[in-house]
Amino acid sequence: MKVKSLIYCLLAFCVLVLSSCGPENDDYVDKVVGEYNIKITPNISVKYGNSTLPITIETIETTAVVTEKDDAGNVTMQINGVNGEISEMFFEGYCDGLGLKLQDYHYDGVFYSPEYGMIYCDIELKNPTVSIYNSRILNWKSTFTTGTCGINISGLDEANYDVTGSIQFEAKGK
């Protein structure tokens, strides 16, 4: 009976020691905090009549900053806008052992298309968990299945069309 109690006590002690050995969320936050050069590649498809029309938007290069929000692993990411090409974006996120989990984001801003000019978009970005294995590289693809964009497709007045697509983000630390 004493041996059994001793074994249970040792097991409980081992579980306690092993559970306290994991890295803190601050370790993960430290991997992502900083300044980045970022490339943004929008891929937008407009529902036009009974068909879907892809809209060409060139890759946009800008900068981003990730800052620590609090001691609980929360961060904010600000992507700087480029006048006439893209509006600013602000993401809230959380760092843990699984990566950087970005919250979904409502983008109400512009993109520039060489073919169609300024496109005013109102879309809901669904964000994934971003791998933080390499602290100086953050890559992810945000998708959207609902939203509208104001665009002049047929040479008539600008109209709002339903859109779907994704935005690829490639950030490299400075």
Side-chain angles (χ1 to χ4, degrees):
M1 196 63 142
K2 290 182 182 184
V3 173
K4 202 176 196 180
S5 296
L6 180 62
I7 290 173
Y8 285 129
C9 287
L10 287 174
L11 284 173
F13 178 73
C14 288
V15 167
L16 179 65
V17 168
L18 291 175
S19 67
S20 65
C21 290
E24 297 292 322
N25 286 343
D26 289 344
D27 296 339
Y28 299 111
V29 170
D30 290 341
K31 288 183 177 183
V32 299
V33 167
E35 296 181 11
Y36 293 84
N37 290 319
I38 189 166
K39 293 180 181 180
I40 303 168
T41 308
N43 179 10
I44 297 175
S45 294
V46 174
K47 295 177 185 171
Y48 181 67
N50 291 331
S51 61
T52 302
L53 176 68
I55 302 295
T56 303
I57 298 175
E58 296 176 356
T59 298
I60 301 156
E61 295 187 21
T62 186
T63 57
V65 177
V66 178
T67 55
E68 184 174 1
K69 192 173 177 182
D70 57 32
D71 292 337
N74 294 307
V75 296
T76 57
M77 176 185 288
Q78 175 185 344
I79 299 176
N80 296 315
V82 176
N83 191 22
E85 291 185 39
I86 191 169
S87 301
E88 280 187 322
M89 294 183 181
F90 296 92
F91 294 102
E92 298 286 329
Y94 175 80
C95 293
D96 64 12
L98 299 175
L100 169 59
K101 174 59 181 144
L102 295 174
Q103 294 177 5
D104 293 344
Y105 176 71
H106 180 93
Y107 179 70
D108 188 5
V110 299
F111 292 114
Y112 178 78
S113 167
E115 186 175 357
Y116 298 103
M118 195 71 64
I119 301 171
Y120 300 92
C121 293
D122 187 2
I123 55 179
E124 291 292 329
L125 295 175
K126 304 293 183 202
N127 292 313
T129 298
V130 181
S131 170
I132 55 175
Y133 297 120
N134 183 336
S135 62
R136 303 316 305 159
I137 298 175
L138 301 173
N139 294 326
W140 74 96
K141 182 185 279 188
S142 299
T143 59
F144 53 94
T145 55
T146 59
T148 60
C149 283
I151 186 170
N152 185 339
I153 292 179
S154 61
L156 303 172
D157 290 335
E158 182 177 297
N160 283 327
Y161 297 95
D162 291 335
V163 293
T164 60
S166 64
I167 301 174
Q168 179 69 41
F169 296 89
E170 298 175 19
K172 293 185 181 180
K174 290 185 175 183

